[in-house]
Amino acid sequence: MPTTRRTALGALLAMPIGRALAQSAPYPHKPIRLVVPFPPGGGGDTMARLASVPISRELGQPFFVENLAGAGGNIGAANAARAPADGYTLLYGTNGTHGINPTLYSKTGFDPRKDFEPVGRLTRIAGILAVRPGLPVKRVEDLLALARAEPGKLTFGSAGNGTTSHLAGEMLKAQAQIDIVHVPYRGGALAMTDLLGGRIDFMIDVAPNIAPQLSGARIRALAVSTAQRSAAFPDLPTIGESGVPGFDIAAWDALFAPAGTPRPCVDTLNAAVRKALLDRAAEPWPSSPDELKLFVASELTRWGAAVQRFGAVIE
């Protein structure tokens, strides 16, 4: 027997039986870890858990969610990037981790392009511009008129410097040429509490965070932030059609695997995502892995320019 054949046979015989069976088993054959880089109970965590249920059902394997929050999602993303590239660790990524953070933070601990294999987009998430109950405006046009009449008086809240809600407010300020004051919070829940309490005037936050507060006139929605109206809120005009032409801000979420994950695993995951997409006050937005790769590159450029323009930097 040739030496090379003897060596290969010896290696096969020396391999533990369990490992050999695992390597030959079809993917996936065990539970999948989903790293959610945000705190439990928040908007990102809720969206990730809602998405994981039907995807898990399509794959025939349970997902177990691991919340690794901190640094705007960087800690969890860096952890997922270092995980084995075997298809059994995924990252719930967003326009924060894969659009804003690489410019916002001096160090993230991961490269959004080099350290991940794109799996597929989940949803495109419209923002809603909502005002405090007592603010005397009923339309975006009214809000803009009030801001121009009293420059520097109106305040808008956000989940923190460099977050989507912050940059959306800054973009409104720049595109509408109004003077409004940013009030950053340590998370969207705290900003919402002050909006409900009338301590800030308005905010632009993702629809899943705003929608539960609209009943009972606790706050008042004026418009959606996307270029087109939202199917979930058909009666709300867009900010663009309300006096700020071209305004278009949307959050998004997607799944990523560590770089080097075999393409057959990625394709299996992508197929499951496409079948399992849900409407969660968000627009299902499927993609192929390659489409997501190109999209992330464009988002890094777009959000990076916005962070630099508005001087939002976190050391």
Side-chain angles (χ1 to χ4, degrees), residues 253-271:
D253 53 7
L255 293 184
F256 298 86
T261 298
R263 185 60 186 242
C265 295
V266 171
D267 288 341
T268 296
L269 290 165
N270 180 266

Side-chain angles (χ1 to χ4, degrees), residues 26-77:
Y27 174 83
H29 60 267
K30 62 180 182 179
I32 294 173
R33 171 182 176 241
L34 177 61
V35 175
V36 176
F38 308 109
D45 177 61
T46 300
M47 297 285 279
R49 290 176 186 273
L50 284 172
S52 72
V53 173
I55 298 172
S56 168
R57 189 163 50 242
E58 289 292 337
L59 293 170
Q61 291 293 337
F63 273 47
F64 65 94
V65 174
E66 184 173 357
N67 295 93
L68 295 175
N74 291 340
I75 291 176

Side-chain angles (χ1 to χ4, degrees), residues 54-159:
I55 298 172
S56 168
R57 189 163 50 242
E58 289 292 337
L59 293 170
Q61 291 293 337
F63 273 47
F64 65 94
V65 174
E66 184 173 357
N67 295 93
L68 295 175
N74 291 340
I75 291 176
N79 178 279
R82 295 191 295 268
D86 58 5
Y88 292 99
T89 293
L90 300 176
L91 173 70
Y92 174 81
T94 67
N95 57 295
T97 60
H98 283 68
I100 297 171
N101 289 5
T103 304
L104 178 65
Y105 289 83
S106 58
K107 294 180 181 178
T108 61
F110 68 96
D111 185 311
R113 282 181 275 203
K114 295 180 180 179
D115 291 340
F116 292 99
E117 300 291 345
V119 171
R121 284 189 307 234
L122 296 171
T123 49
R124 188 171 188 261
I125 310 163
I128 294 179
L129 191 164
V131 301
R132 62 178 172 85
L135 196 68
V137 300
K138 294 184 178 180
R139 306 177 305 154
V140 172
E141 292 91 337
D142 300 332
L143 181 69
L144 300 181
L146 183 60
R148 289 170 181 142
E150 303 181 31
K153 182 177 179 180
L154 291 183
T155 57
F156 75 94
S158 80

Side-chain angles (χ1 to χ4, degrees), residues 214-236:
L214 296 178
S215 61
R218 301 183 69 193
I219 56 176
R220 187 163 58 257
L222 303 187
V224 294
S225 65
T226 44
Q228 290 80 37
R229 293 196 180 198
S230 168
F233 306 95
D235 294 333
L236 284 181

Side-chain angles (χ1 to χ4, degrees), residues 192-248:
M192 179 57 68
T193 297
D194 273 8
L195 182 64
L196 291 167
R199 288 176 285 277
I200 55 175
D201 294 311
F202 74 96
M203 65 186 298
I204 304 173
D205 201 0
V206 291
N209 291 346
I210 294 284
Q213 309 300 334
L214 296 178
S215 61
R218 301 183 69 193
I219 56 176
R220 187 163 58 257
L222 303 187
V224 294
S225 65
T226 44
Q228 290 80 37
R229 293 196 180 198
S230 168
F233 306 95
D235 294 333
L236 284 181
T238 68
I239 294 175
E241 67 185 271
S242 304
V244 192
F247 193 91
D248 183 17

